Amino acid sequence: MAAVVAQFFQIIGVDSTPPTNMAELIPYLLTVAVGMFLVSVVFRLIAAIVRALLSVRRF
């Protein structure tokens, strides 16, 4: 699980070293928040597509 989280942070462009002051923390947190939002949107989109495909097959 730690490897997956590290790979995710490398994909969205967050450094592997933690921020040392407030000037570095704010962009770091914004990058993480935007990345998590995008991942959430992608999973919702995939779920909607799967739901639509499965509902069409019933009828």
Side-chain angles (χ1 to χ4, degrees):
M1 186 67 176
V4 173
V5 172
Q7 184 179 10
F8 171 71
F9 285 141
Q10 288 175 355
I11 289 172
I12 64 171
V14 176
D15 291 333
S16 61
T17 58
T20 57
N21 55 23
M22 190 61 92
E24 294 175 356
L25 178 65
I26 293 172
Y28 181 86
L29 291 178
L30 286 174
T31 304
V32 170
V34 168
M36 297 301 281
F37 173 75
L38 291 175
V39 168
S40 173
V41 168
V42 167
F43 279 119
R44 285 184 193 170
L45 183 62
I46 291 170
I49 291 170
V50 169
R51 193 176 311 124
L53 289 174
L54 291 177
S55 68
V56 170
R57 296 182 89 184
R58 288 185 194 165
F59 300 110

